[in-house]
Amino acid sequence: MNEKDVKRFRTIVKILSVISLLAIIGISISLTVSVVLLATLIFLKESTVTQLLESNQFNMFIEPSSSFKIKNINEVSDIVYDKPSVLLFISTTIIYLAIILFIAYFTYRLFKNMGENEIFTLENSQRIKIIGYLFIALTVLYSLKESVSEFLYYRMFKDTLDQLDITMEFTIFQVNMPLLVSSLIIILIGYAFKHGLFLKNEYDQTI
């Protein structure tokens, strides 16, 4: 690469580093809020939460998966606060956000190293492979999160569903194939970086 291409590459890498850093900050805030919410609901009385939900301020809950059939908030006759289901959903969300946070962190470190002209290194190879494995974990957890979400909606709106004679179709486990394939490609890129480092070392020894 000529000098112009090198400068352009470093500029792109710096921009990606800033984006990754902003993602880390945003995800950290969301994770903190989720943890605080979980701790609050653990100690908060169920009757208090039920009163808040019954004050017609639960429009946010009418945004479920495609298998949830209630579309109009006026159809909701009663809402039940099922504490174990809610805590399970928030806990799953926390783990989900934590994995995304780790992905953002390793991505930031990767771009930062590249910006310092450290591209084919063992550390970068390991980071790329870790990102790939984290994406696989994210694939599994995403499916679990969807199942927990559907179960939560069913538990909270069970009376309304029974009254309207609506049957929910639960997703037991559905793999997100595009995300899984992307994860495998990222892992292969990690091994390619390692092989590139091996070739670079051989070339340096030859010289």
Side-chain angles (χ1 to χ4, degrees):
M1 287 194 299
N2 55 43
E3 187 176 347
K4 186 177 180 181
D5 290 334
V6 171
K7 287 183 178 179
R8 186 181 302 165
F9 173 76
R10 288 181 177 175
T11 301
I12 294 172
V13 169
K14 285 180 180 178
I15 292 172
L16 292 173
S17 297
V18 172
I19 293 173
S20 301
L21 184 59
L22 292 175
I24 291 173
I25 295 171
I27 297 166
S28 298
I29 294 172
S30 300
L31 187 59
T32 303
V33 171
S34 298
V35 172
V36 171
L37 179 61
L38 178 65
T40 302
L41 291 177
I42 288 174
F43 296 104
L44 202 62
K45 292 182 179 180
E46 293 188 32
S47 58
T48 304
V49 179
T50 302
Q51 288 176 2
L52 291 173
L53 294 175
E54 289 177 348
S55 63
N56 293 328
Q57 300 298 322
F58 49 84
N59 303 60
M60 61 180 138
F61 291 104
I62 314 296
E63 195 70 34
S65 64
S66 58
S67 59
F68 194 62
K69 307 299 181 182
I70 299 176
K71 302 301 179 184
N72 188 352
I73 193 170
N74 295 321
E75 294 179 334
V76 179
S77 59
D78 191 19
I79 184 169
V80 179
Y81 173 61
D82 186 58
K83 187 172 183 177
S85 300
V86 172
L87 295 182
L88 177 61
F89 175 75
I90 297 175
S91 299
T92 307
T93 302
I94 289 172
I95 299 172
Y96 187 78
L97 289 172
I99 293 176
I100 297 177
L101 179 61
F102 277 115
I103 291 174
Y105 170 74
F106 284 112
T107 302
Y108 168 72
R109 291 301 303 271
L110 177 66
F111 287 137
K112 188 179 179 186
N113 272 18
M114 287 183 173
E116 296 171 352
N117 207 27
E118 296 179 6
I119 301 175
F120 291 106
T121 65
L122 186 60
E123 290 79 10
N124 285 348
S125 171
Q126 292 293 340
R127 288 187 183 113
I128 293 173
K129 286 189 287 184
I130 289 172
I131 291 171
Y133 289 125
L134 285 172
F135 266 109
I136 291 178
L138 200 66
T139 304
V140 176
L141 196 62
Y142 177 81
S143 179
L144 177 62
K145 185 172 173 289
E146 286 293 301
S147 299
V148 172
S149 175
E150 291 173 357
F151 180 71
L152 171 62
Y153 284 117
Y154 172 73
R155 293 289 296 173
M156 296 188 76
F157 295 99
K158 185 178 183 302
D159 293 342
T160 302
L161 291 169
D162 292 341
Q163 182 180 341
L164 298 175
D165 195 24
I166 295 175
T167 302
M168 279 193 67
E169 298 174 359
F170 291 97
T171 304
I172 303 302
F173 188 82
Q174 186 175 359
V175 177
N176 188 323
M177 288 305 297
L179 189 57
L180 181 60
V181 172
S182 300
S183 306
L184 297 176
I185 291 174
I186 292 171
I187 293 172
L188 288 176
I189 292 174
Y191 281 105
F193 261 65
K194 187 175 182 180
H195 184 64
L197 175 62
F198 172 76
L199 294 177
K200 179 178 178 297
N201 290 337
E202 273 199 340
Y203 177 78
D204 291 342
Q205 289 176 4
T206 303
I207 294 177

Short mmCIF file of all heavy atoms in Angstrom, two decimals, residues 150-172:
data_model
loop_
_atom_site.label_atom_id
_atom_site.label_comp_id
_atom_site.label_asym_id
_atom_site.label_seq_id
_atom_site.Cartn_x
_atom_site.Cartn_y
_atom_site.Cartn_z
N GLU A 150 -41.57 -14.75 25.20
CA GLU A 150 -42.90 -15.27 24.86
C GLU A 150 -43.60 -15.84 26.10
O GLU A 150 -44.80 -15.62 26.29
CB GLU A 150 -42.77 -16.34 23.78
CG GLU A 150 -42.35 -15.78 22.43
CD GLU A 150 -42.08 -16.87 21.42
OE1 GLU A 150 -42.17 -18.06 21.80
OE2 GLU A 150 -41.79 -16.55 20.25
N PHE A 151 -42.84 -16.56 26.92
CA PHE A 151 -43.42 -17.13 28.14
C PHE A 151 -43.86 -16.03 29.09
O PHE A 151 -44.91 -16.13 29.73
CB PHE A 151 -42.39 -18.04 28.82
CG PHE A 151 -42.90 -18.68 30.09
CD1 PHE A 151 -43.85 -19.68 30.04
CD2 PHE A 151 -42.43 -18.26 31.33
CE1 PHE A 151 -44.33 -20.27 31.21
CE2 PHE A 151 -42.89 -18.83 32.49
CZ PHE A 151 -43.85 -19.85 32.43
N LEU A 152 -43.06 -14.94 29.17
CA LEU A 152 -43.40 -13.82 30.04
C LEU A 152 -44.71 -13.17 29.61
O LEU A 152 -45.58 -12.90 30.44
CB LEU A 152 -42.27 -12.79 30.01
CG LEU A 152 -42.56 -11.44 30.70
CD1 LEU A 152 -42.82 -11.63 32.19
CD2 LEU A 152 -41.40 -10.47 30.49
N TYR A 153 -44.85 -12.92 28.32
CA TYR A 153 -46.09 -12.31 27.81
C TYR A 153 -47.29 -13.21 28.08
O TYR A 153 -48.37 -12.74 28.41
CB TYR A 153 -45.97 -12.02 26.32
CG TYR A 153 -45.13 -10.80 26.02
CD1 TYR A 153 -43.96 -10.91 25.29
CD2 TYR A 153 -45.51 -9.54 26.47
CE1 TYR A 153 -43.18 -9.79 25.03
CE2 TYR A 153 -44.74 -8.43 26.21
CZ TYR A 153 -43.58 -8.56 25.49
OH TYR A 153 -42.81 -7.45 25.22
N TYR A 154 -47.07 -14.50 27.90
CA TYR A 154 -48.18 -15.44 28.14
C TYR A 154 -48.61 -15.38 29.61
O TYR A 154 -49.81 -15.35 29.91
CB TYR A 154 -47.74 -16.86 27.77
CG TYR A 154 -48.75 -17.91 28.18
CD1 TYR A 154 -49.95 -18.06 27.49
CD2 TYR A 154 -48.50 -18.73 29.28
CE1 TYR A 154 -50.88 -19.02 27.87
CE2 TYR A 154 -49.43 -19.69 29.67
CZ TYR A 154 -50.61 -19.83 28.97
OH TYR A 154 -51.53 -20.76 29.36
N ARG A 155 -47.66 -15.38 30.51
CA ARG A 155 -47.97 -15.36 31.94
C ARG A 155 -48.66 -14.05 32.35
O ARG A 155 -49.59 -14.06 33.16
CB ARG A 155 -46.69 -15.54 32.76
CG ARG A 155 -46.04 -16.91 32.61
CD ARG A 155 -46.84 -18.00 33.27
NE ARG A 155 -46.91 -17.79 34.73
CZ ARG A 155 -47.67 -18.52 35.53
NH1 ARG A 155 -48.43 -19.48 35.03
NH2 ARG A 155 -47.67 -18.29 36.83
N MET A 156 -48.22 -12.93 31.77
CA MET A 156 -48.75 -11.63 32.18
C MET A 156 -50.14 -11.36 31.59
O MET A 156 -50.95 -10.67 32.19
CB MET A 156 -47.79 -10.52 31.77
CG MET A 156 -46.45 -10.58 32.48
SD MET A 156 -45.39 -9.15 32.17
CE MET A 156 -46.16 -7.92 33.21
N PHE A 157 -50.42 -11.94 30.40
CA PHE A 157 -51.69 -11.68 29.75
C PHE A 157 -52.53 -12.95 29.60
O PHE A 157 -53.39 -13.03 28.71
CB PHE A 157 -51.46 -11.06 28.36
CG PHE A 157 -50.82 -9.72 28.41
CD1 PHE A 157 -49.46 -9.58 28.20
CD2 PHE A 157 -51.56 -8.58 28.69
CE1 PHE A 157 -48.86 -8.34 28.24
CE2 PHE A 157 -50.96 -7.32 28.73
CZ PHE A 157 -49.60 -7.20 28.51
N LYS A 158 -52.31 -13.91 30.48
CA LYS A 158 -52.99 -15.20 30.37
C LYS A 158 -54.51 -15.05 30.42
O LYS A 158 -55.24 -15.67 29.62
CB LYS A 158 -52.53 -16.13 31.50
CG LYS A 158 -53.09 -17.55 31.41
CD LYS A 158 -52.54 -18.41 32.52
CE LYS A 158 -53.03 -19.84 32.39
NZ LYS A 158 -54.50 -19.95 32.41
N ASP A 159 -55.03 -14.23 31.33
CA ASP A 159 -56.48 -14.06 31.48
C ASP A 159 -57.09 -13.49 30.20
O ASP A 159 -58.16 -13.93 29.76
CB ASP A 159 -56.79 -13.15 32.67
CG ASP A 159 -56.42 -13.79 33.99
OD1 ASP A 159 -56.24 -15.03 34.02
OD2 ASP A 159 -56.28 -13.07 35.00
N THR A 160 -56.42 -12.51 29.62
CA THR A 160 -56.93 -11.90 28.39
C THR A 160 -56.89 -12.89 27.23
O THR A 160 -57.81 -12.97 26.42
CB THR A 160 -56.10 -10.65 28.03
OG1 THR A 160 -56.17 -9.72 29.12
CG2 THR A 160 -56.62 -9.99 26.76
N LEU A 161 -55.81 -13.66 27.15
CA LEU A 161 -55.68 -14.66 26.09
C LEU A 161 -56.78 -15.71 26.19
O LEU A 161 -57.36 -16.11 25.17
CB LEU A 161 -54.29 -15.32 26.17
CG LEU A 161 -53.09 -14.45 25.81
CD1 LEU A 161 -51.80 -15.15 26.19
CD2 LEU A 161 -53.09 -14.13 24.33
N ASP A 162 -57.06 -16.15 27.42
CA ASP A 162 -58.13 -17.14 27.63
C ASP A 162 -59.49 -16.55 27.27
O ASP A 162 -60.33 -17.22 26.66
CB ASP A 162 -58.12 -17.62 29.08
CG ASP A 162 -56.88 -18.45 29.41
OD1 ASP A 162 -56.25 -18.94 28.46
OD2 ASP A 162 -56.55 -18.58 30.61
N GLN A 163 -59.70 -15.30 27.65
CA GLN A 163 -60.98 -14.65 27.39
C GLN A 163 -61.23 -14.48 25.89
O GLN A 163 -62.35 -14.64 25.41
CB GLN A 163 -61.02 -13.28 28.09
CG GLN A 163 -62.34 -12.53 27.91
CD GLN A 163 -62.31 -11.19 28.64
OE1 GLN A 163 -61.49 -10.98 29.53
NE2 GLN A 163 -63.20 -10.30 28.25
N LEU A 164 -60.16 -14.14 25.15
CA LEU A 164 -60.28 -13.94 23.71
C LEU A 164 -60.09 -15.24 22.93
O LEU A 164 -60.12 -15.23 21.69
CB LEU A 164 -59.24 -12.91 23.23
CG LEU A 164 -59.39 -11.50 23.81
CD1 LEU A 164 -58.23 -10.62 23.35
CD2 LEU A 164 -60.72 -10.88 23.41
N ASP A 165 -59.90 -16.33 23.67
CA ASP A 165 -59.70 -17.65 23.06
C ASP A 165 -58.52 -17.64 22.07
O ASP A 165 -58.63 -18.09 20.92
CB ASP A 165 -60.98 -18.11 22.35
CG ASP A 165 -60.93 -19.61 22.04
OD1 ASP A 165 -60.19 -20.33 22.73
OD2 ASP A 165 -61.62 -20.04 21.09
N ILE A 166 -57.40 -17.07 22.55
CA ILE A 166 -56.20 -16.97 21.72
C ILE A 166 -55.17 -17.98 22.21
O ILE A 166 -54.90 -18.10 23.40
CB ILE A 166 -55.59 -15.55 21.80
CG1 ILE A 166 -56.56 -14.53 21.18
CG2 ILE A 166 -54.25 -15.49 21.09
CD1 ILE A 166 -56.11 -13.10 21.32
N THR A 167 -54.59 -18.70 21.28
CA THR A 167 -53.57 -19.69 21.60
C THR A 167 -52.21 -19.18 21.13
O THR A 167 -52.06 -18.81 19.96
CB THR A 167 -53.86 -21.04 20.93
OG1 THR A 167 -55.15 -21.50 21.33
CG2 THR A 167 -52.82 -22.08 21.32
N MET A 168 -51.26 -19.15 22.03
CA MET A 168 -49.91 -18.71 21.66
C MET A 168 -49.09 -19.86 21.13
O MET A 168 -49.22 -20.99 21.58
CB MET A 168 -49.20 -18.08 22.87
CG MET A 168 -49.59 -16.64 23.13
SD MET A 168 -48.45 -15.85 24.31
CE MET A 168 -46.93 -15.82 23.36
N GLU A 169 -48.24 -19.57 20.17
CA GLU A 169 -47.32 -20.55 19.62
C GLU A 169 -45.92 -20.21 20.14
O GLU A 169 -45.34 -19.19 19.76
CB GLU A 169 -47.34 -20.51 18.09
CG GLU A 169 -48.71 -20.84 17.51
CD GLU A 169 -48.73 -20.66 16.01
OE1 GLU A 169 -47.67 -20.25 15.45
OE2 GLU A 169 -49.78 -20.91 15.39
N PHE A 170 -45.39 -21.08 20.99
CA PHE A 170 -44.10 -20.81 21.62
C PHE A 170 -42.95 -21.30 20.74
O PHE A 170 -43.04 -22.35 20.10
CB PHE A 170 -44.02 -21.50 22.99
CG PHE A 170 -44.92 -20.90 24.02
CD1 PHE A 170 -46.16 -21.46 24.29
CD2 PHE A 170 -44.55 -19.76 24.72
CE1 PHE A 170 -47.00 -20.90 25.23
CE2 PHE A 170 -45.38 -19.19 25.66
CZ PHE A 170 -46.62 -19.77 25.92
N THR A 171 -41.88 -20.52 20.73
CA THR A 171 -40.66 -20.91 20.04
C THR A 171 -39.76 -21.64 21.04
O THR A 171 -39.25 -21.02 21.98
CB THR A 171 -39.92 -19.68 19.48
OG1 THR A 171 -40.82 -18.95 18.63
CG2 THR A 171 -38.69 -20.08 18.70
N ILE A 172 -39.60 -22.94 20.85
CA ILE A 172 -38.78 -23.71 21.79
C ILE A 172 -37.31 -23.36 21.62
O ILE A 172 -36.64 -22.91 22.54
CB ILE A 172 -39.00 -25.23 21.57
CG1 ILE A 172 -40.49 -25.58 21.71
CG2 ILE A 172 -38.17 -26.01 22.59
CD1 ILE A 172 -41.09 -25.21 23.05
#
